[in-house]
Amino acid sequence: MKSNKELLVEISELKSQLTVANSLVAGTFKNKDSYNLNFGNTSEIIQSIDPDGEILFVSQAWKDILGYSDEEIKHLNIFDIIHPDHLESCKEQFRQIMDGQFKYNFSTVIVSSSKKKIFLKGVIFPQFINDKVVATHSFFQNVSEENKFLEKSKEIDIKFQKLTETANDAIVILNHKALTIFWNNAATSIFGFSADEMIGKDLHNLIVPDRYLDSYRKGFAKFTKTGKGVLVNQTTEVVAKKKDGQEFPISISMSSLILDNKWHAVGIIRDLTELKKSQEQLVNSEAKLSKFFHEAPIGLAINSMDGKFVDINEEFVKISGYSVSQLNKLSYWDLTPKKYFADEEIQLKDLKEKHIYGPYEKEYIHKKGYLVPVSLKGFIISSEGEDFIWSIVEDLTERKQNEDRIKSLAGEVSQFIDTANAPIFGINSKGKINEWNQTSEKITGYTKEDVMGKGLVDEFITEDYRKSVKKVLDNALKGIQTSNYEFPLYSRDGEKIMILLNASTRRDIQGKIIGVIGVGQDITELSNHRENLENLVKTRTKELEASLEREQELGKMKTSFVSMASHEFRTPLTAIKATADVILRYQEQLSKNDVEKRLHKIINEVGDMTIMLDDILIMGKADSQRLEFNPTNLNIIALVKEIIEDYQLSQEVKREVIIQSSSDQLLVNADPKWIKHIVNNLFSNAIKYSEAPKPIEISIGLENQMVCLIIKDYGIGINKTDHDSLFEPFVRGVNVGVIAGAGLGLAVMKKGVDLHHGAISFNSEIGKGTSFKVLLPILISQ
Ligand code: ADP
């Protein structure tokens, strides 16, 4: 077969011939004979036909191959002898040529006169006259031989279709020249070459790696002669090459086959890439398994069914103390204490029935003789027809130690809780009490048995605190802890106990909330103390306020006193000085009586001043406790009468006094000094603020079990505007005019009445008179 390149060279030669031919035929083309002259002697298969398919010229080679006589050719239309299977495609190609296209590759199949299929392949040119295609000229190669392979292959393909459809293996058939005549789908997918690319080609060239090519060729040459070879009738693993050049392992089973009296080779090829990979993996995984077995951080042992140790890993050596070789001579019965034999039988029975056993805990006898707690589980594995027990052994020594430690710790903690000097209680997630220590028992009076399982909030918290205590506990159940929450608990005896609580969330090992633990502090005493302190602070504050008020009052008083003193003391002092001057200057001329009179005046003035100073002193004493108060049982009626009489005696001008009393005697517990002060003050005011000869009326008796003293005058009266402030020091009525006074008498007297726990009030009408009323409790002491 010629290569494309060779064909192109030929074509270019032909083209030059054509140029000559064209000039020759330009005018004479219709003449078939002259046409013959130009191409008649060529050895090429040439055909020239007109646009309708009428044969204008064929070369001798054409005639030789197709077998038609000149006579037959004259009457032939080319489309009559084109094989029906190829007619359509041929016509299509022909049409394209007629449209003026130049085609290098033109193929057709013509039926020869002996009805054989002749495969022709070549080039075709259109010939133009006046831009019109008048003929086509084709130059062919006979490719029937090559196409036979294809045909053959198709035939075989059909025969093997069933087989190849399902075959995963590549099926390849080579003819005696090592050209591929069959190539199935699996072969395509394994090697990457399509059937079209392989059929008729040298198989070795395409799929054998270059380095093996020689030996394959030699081997195949031998095979074509004998039908025998190293690969024949056996399966061999070799390396092959894919279309992309990649080499890969295949297995090939080759057999020989005679077709057309020639040795053909049938190869069944399998891609071993995956197999090799998995083999490698298998090798790897075996290595891994062995590494896993020996280096596993847990004891592993393989025993035969009668208990002999077959293999153990490093960890098992550590657990048992025995080396592999030592254990190989022992059975697990040697490692098992007698007390476990019965258990062991049960596990073995399980193992035989279910093929697995455990997990169960037992002990091993360590090489050194002590016992090692272990947990065992295992299963049966089969290897080469024999059963073995594969055991997984966990050393529990550390776990057991931890368990013991935790147990003793738990014991200590619960002991600590129970004896702690603070009330500790616990509730579960439903609010029921599940912990109640000794201090809780002691302070509440409820024993553990009394409270366990009962609702803490509903049964032990008073209504007013239920909501807030429940909130604290609910929060702790949600993981929100509360500290220093204060609430009252009531003991069994109804005593209120104030608790300062820290509520913490209680969790299990997994961290799940299971309740609340409350650690309290009995702050009852503290809380009482605090209450007392608060009260004390309140009282002290009040006292302080009162004393501050007094202080302010005193301050006011001092100011008032200064202004009053400068005025009120000046008058009597001036009078005393003047009287004393008269006595001094005129003592010769004055009679003894005159001197006495004047001295009395001086004594009176001094007396008034003394009273005033006494009043000031009394007012100056900040609180009533500092005032003198010495009550005694006395007859108040007699005392009042005596005071009035004494007062009258000291006066120059006597005023008419009308005294009324319910009886002669009325015993009270009172301070006579204060009574004298009260009566003198009221009586002197009555005289001072009324004019002679208007009488003064005094009544003394009982009213509502109290002594009632009334002193009434018919004087100037008291203006309404002054009523409210009359008992304050230095306050004087607006209507006093020139009547002397310091405004202290009523304020001082009020203190006296207060000391007796009595009351003072008055009735007054301006210009008509005033009556003061003093009520004193009797309070007779035995
Ligand atoms: P003083 O009489 O020195 O002014 P008191 O404290 O004794 O001070 O009296 C206060 C004021 O009450 C008097 O200034 C006066 O205005 C009024 N008062 C007291 N007693 C009477 C009374 N019997 N009649 C009218 N006014 C009186």
Side-chain angles (χ1 to χ4, degrees):
M1 194 173 75
K2 282 178 183 168
S3 69
N4 280 351
K5 210 173 162 188
E6 289 165 329
L7 274 174
L8 277 173
V9 174
E10 254 173 57
I11 285 162
S12 65
E13 277 170 18
L14 285 168
K15 267 186 179 171
S16 58
Q17 286 181 29
L18 257 179
T19 324
V20 182
N22 274 344
S23 61
L24 282 173
V25 297
T28 57
F29 222 115
K30 282 163 205 153
N31 184 342
K32 281 185 185 179
D33 294 334
S34 70
Y35 197 82
N36 278 345
L37 277 175
N38 290 306
F39 293 110
N41 296 326
T42 179
S43 61
E44 297 292 328
I45 307 164
I46 301 172
Q47 76 176 30
S48 301
I49 54 174
D50 77 1
D52 297 325
E54 291 301 323
I55 300 177
L56 299 174
F57 167 79
V58 292
S59 65
Q60 189 53 49
W62 191 100
K63 290 178 205 164
D64 295 345
I65 290 166
L66 288 163
Y68 291 104
S69 67
D70 285 339
E71 197 49 39
E72 281 172 312
I73 293 167
K74 271 185 192 166
H75 305 290
L76 271 180
N77 183 296
I78 194 72
F79 297 118
D80 295 338
I81 56 168
I82 287 177
H83 190 276
D85 290 352
H86 300 267
L87 191 59
E88 265 318 300
S89 75
C90 200
K91 275 186 174 170
E92 177 54 32
Q93 292 187 76
F94 199 68
R95 248 193 308 280
Q96 287 172 5
I97 303 299
M98 288 303 164
D99 283 347
Q101 291 175 26
F102 179 86
K103 282 192 83 79
Y104 281 116
N105 297 312
F106 180 71
S107 59
T108 184
V109 181
I110 297 178
V111 182
S112 71
S113 66
S114 58
K115 304 294 171 209
K116 266 192 190 164
K117 273 165 120 184
I118 304 297
F119 291 81
L120 297 173
K121 200 171 167 186
V123 288
I124 182 166
F125 305 94
Q127 184 184 4
F128 297 90
I129 294 179
N130 298 332
D131 287 337
K132 226 180 129 193
V133 177
V134 292
T136 66
H137 310 291
S138 307
F139 300 82
F140 287 126
Q141 290 280 316
N142 180 4
V143 292
S144 300
E145 193 60 29
E146 285 166 26
N147 275 285
K148 248 194 228 159
F149 293 129
L150 210 60
E151 292 287 297
K152 197 90 190 163
S153 146
K154 272 183 191 154
E155 253 173 58
I156 300 170
D157 213 0
I158 292 158
K159 279 186 202 159
F160 288 110
Q161 206 169 15
K162 271 234 156 68
L163 181 72
T164 57
E165 261 172 18
T166 50
N168 284 327
D169 293 338
I171 300 169
V172 181
I173 303 177
L174 302 186
N175 70 4
H176 61 290
K177 288 181 184 167
L179 301 179
T180 313
I181 61 165
F182 182 76
W183 186 259
N184 75 342
N185 289 339
T188 300
S189 62
I190 290 174
F191 290 96
F193 291 107
S194 69
D196 279 349
E197 287 169 314
M198 290 304 293
I199 298 299
K201 306 276 164 59
D202 184 332
L203 177 107
H204 295 135
N205 250 348
L206 296 170
I207 69 160
V208 172
D210 293 347
R211 60 187 183 282
Y212 303 124
L213 259 178
D214 264 359
S215 64
Y216 271 88
R217 289 218 171 102
K218 277 180 196 153
F220 198 79
K222 211 170 138 196
F223 168 79
T224 47
K225 284 178 198 144
T226 61
K228 286 180 188 140
V230 278
L231 297 179
V232 179
N233 292 334
Q234 57 186 358
T235 305
T236 317
E237 283 184 16
V238 294
V239 176
K241 193 171 78 179
K242 290 192 185 191
K243 187 181 177 183
D244 62 10
Q246 190 195 333
E247 292 189 5
F248 67 111
I250 56 165
S251 73
I252 176 160
S253 304
M254 217 174 98
S255 50
S256 53
L257 171 80
I258 292 184
L259 284 174
D260 299 336
N261 290 323
K262 306 253 164 55
W263 283 111
H264 285 60
V266 180
I268 296 175
I269 298 168
R270 184 168 293 181
D271 184 352
L272 297 183
T273 315
E274 287 304 315
L275 189 75
K276 290 276 176 202
K277 246 193 234 166
S278 61
Q279 269 174 357
E280 261 169 47
Q281 273 171 357
L282 203 66
V283 171
N284 274 343
S285 65
E286 263 169 24
K288 269 186 209 155
L289 195 68
S290 152
K291 193 172 155 65
F292 158 77
F293 182 86
H294 287 287
E295 292 174 16
I298 195 154
L300 296 174
I302 299 172
N303 294 80
S304 59
M305 293 305 283
D306 59 4
K308 286 247 158 50
F309 282 98
V310 177
D311 200 0
I312 55 162
N313 71 348
E314 290 304 313
E315 190 62 25
F316 195 91
V317 171
K318 275 189 215 159
I319 295 171
S320 66
Y322 292 103
S323 71
V324 185
S325 56
Q326 285 167 332
L327 269 181
N328 279 341
K329 290 171 202 143
L330 297 173
S331 106
Y332 58 66
W333 298 107
D334 298 317
L335 264 70
T336 303
K338 278 216 170 61
K339 60 177 174 183
Y340 290 107
F341 278 14
D343 279 356
E344 204 84 351
E345 292 295 348
I346 295 171
Q347 297 299 328
L348 268 177
K349 203 170 150 236
D350 253 16
L351 182 68
K352 277 173 192 155
E353 278 169 12
K354 302 175 197 157
H355 281 221
I356 57 166
Y357 78 93
Y360 84 108
E361 289 183 11
K362 66 175 238 183
E363 285 162 311
Y364 272 154
I365 307 166
H366 191 269
K367 190 182 166 191
K368 289 184 180 158
Y370 60 83
L371 296 178
V372 186
V374 287
S375 161
L376 289 176
K377 61 185 168 192
F379 46 86
I380 289 183
I381 52 164
S382 296
S383 177
E384 291 165 11
E386 199 186 338
D387 283 349
F388 295 93
I389 307 165
W390 176 299
S391 297
I392 299 162
V393 184
E394 192 186 347
D395 184 349
L396 299 183
T397 314
E398 205 173 319
R399 203 187 80 189
K400 290 269 184 212
Q401 279 169 359
N402 281 340
E403 271 175 13
D404 289 348
R405 212 170 300 147
I406 287 167
K407 261 187 216 159
S408 80
L409 209 69
E412 274 172 35
V413 169
S414 85
Q415 171 81 6
F416 167 77
I417 287 178
D418 207 36
T419 57
N421 196 19
I424 299 177
F425 61 86
I427 57 159
N428 63 15
S429 55
K430 285 181 183 138
K432 305 282 185 216
I433 297 172
N434 57 11
E435 190 96 55
W436 194 256
N437 76 343
Q438 289 175 15
T439 306
S440 299
E441 286 187 338
K442 204 168 84 191
I443 66 168
T444 62
Y446 291 106
T447 66
K448 222 176 201 173
E449 288 90 77
D450 292 337
V451 300
M452 285 304 238
K454 289 192 178 153
L456 175 78
V457 173
D458 292 339
E459 301 203 28
F460 300 98
I461 306 294
T462 48
E463 181 90 46
D464 46 342
Y465 271 88
R466 249 173 229 168
K467 223 170 153 185
S468 58
V469 174
K470 191 171 173 350
K471 188 148 187 239
V472 168
L473 298 177
D474 284 350
N475 273 344
L477 282 174
K478 282 183 213 147
I480 309 161
Q481 328 222 67
T482 304
S483 4
N484 297 336
Y485 170 72
E486 218 177 296
F487 72 102
L489 255 183
Y490 282 85
S491 75
R492 183 169 233 158
D493 308 332
E495 199 184 315
K496 182 175 160 188
I497 304 153
M498 285 309 292
I499 299 286
L500 187 69
L501 178 76
N502 281 5
S504 323
T505 311
R506 205 174 199 184
R507 294 169 193 271
D508 64 10
I509 301 170
Q510 280 81 39
K512 202 181 126 209
I513 294 173
I514 51 164
V516 179
I517 191 99
V519 179
Q521 203 181 328
D522 178 359
I523 53 158
T524 315
E525 254 176 56
L526 203 73
S527 147
N528 288 344
H529 185 64
R530 188 178 58 193
E531 217 167 279
N532 287 343
L533 268 180
E534 276 169 5
N535 286 340
L536 204 68
V537 167
K538 263 186 218 160
T539 332
R540 287 271 189 278
T541 313
K542 251 191 212 158
E543 281 173 6
L544 197 71
E545 277 168 5
S547 104
L548 258 175
E549 214 173 286
R550 182 95 24 88
E551 198 79 14
Q552 282 171 346
E553 229 170 65
L554 223 71
K556 254 198 257 167
M557 255 166 59
K558 275 175 191 157
T559 328
S560 310
F561 171 72
V562 172
S563 66
M564 187 272 305
S566 56
H567 180 256
E568 290 302 320
F569 285 152
R570 195 172 292 273
T571 318
L573 282 173
T574 314
I576 289 167
K577 189 175 182 280
T579 314
D581 276 351
V582 170
I583 295 170
L584 259 180
R585 202 172 291 175
Y586 305 106
Q587 53 182 309
E588 301 294 312
Q589 292 95 316
L590 288 176
S591 65
K592 194 182 169 197
N593 197 24
D594 286 341
V595 172
E596 244 172 49
K597 250 191 194 168
R598 284 183 168 79
L599 285 175
H600 268 293
K601 190 174 169 128
I602 289 173
I603 288 166
N604 277 343
E605 292 288 356
V606 170
D608 282 351
M609 280 178 76
T610 310
I611 288 169
M612 205 180 341
L613 275 174
D614 276 348
D615 285 352
I616 287 166
L617 277 177
I618 288 167
M619 288 313 296
K621 288 188 177 161
D623 52 68
S624 48
Q625 275 124 18
R626 283 162 62 199
L627 291 174
E628 265 183 51
F629 180 58
N630 303 306
T632 168
N633 293 343
L634 49 85
N635 179 0
I636 188 125
I637 294 178
L639 181 63
V640 170
K641 282 182 177 165
E642 194 185 310
I643 295 165
I644 300 294
E645 269 168 33
D646 283 355
Y647 189 90
Q648 290 276 65
L649 281 176
S650 71
Q651 296 295 309
E652 273 177 61
V653 185
K654 310 275 183 284
R655 184 72 72 88
E656 184 190 352
V657 180
I658 302 159
I659 299 185
Q660 269 189 343
S661 62
S662 53
S663 64
D664 284 343
Q665 190 168 319
L666 193 52
L667 272 180
V668 292
N669 188 258
D671 181 337
K673 267 193 186 166
W674 274 113
I675 299 296
K676 189 176 177 188
H677 199 98
I678 294 165
V679 175
N680 269 340
N681 228 305
L682 288 176
F683 187 58
S684 66
N685 274 352
I687 290 171
K688 195 159 68 171
Y689 297 109
S690 68
E691 278 176 36
K694 286 179 179 157
I696 309 293
E697 292 171 7
I698 299 176
S699 88
I700 183 155
L702 271 175
E703 187 187 298
N704 297 329
Q705 305 299 313
M706 290 177 103
V707 175
C708 174
L709 167 71
I710 296 172
I711 296 179
K712 184 176 175 184
D713 64 66
Y714 295 92
I716 61 168
I718 301 164
N719 199 302
K720 278 243 158 38
T721 53
D722 297 324
H723 280 206
D724 289 341
S725 54
L726 215 57
F727 292 101
E728 283 170 27
F730 304 111
V731 171
R732 303 204 65 212
V734 289
N735 57 341
V736 292
V738 295
I739 305 168
L744 276 171
L746 284 180
V748 171
M749 203 179 67
K750 173 90 172 40
K751 282 193 187 291
V753 175
D754 288 345
L755 282 171
H756 285 84
H757 301 288
I760 179 164
S761 59
F762 63 89
N763 264 318
S764 182
E765 211 177 317
I766 216 90
K768 286 197 172 164
T770 308
S771 95
F772 275 90
K773 174 162 139 185
V774 176
L775 287 170
L776 297 174
I778 293 172
L779 298 171
I780 292 296
S781 68
Q782 300 306 313

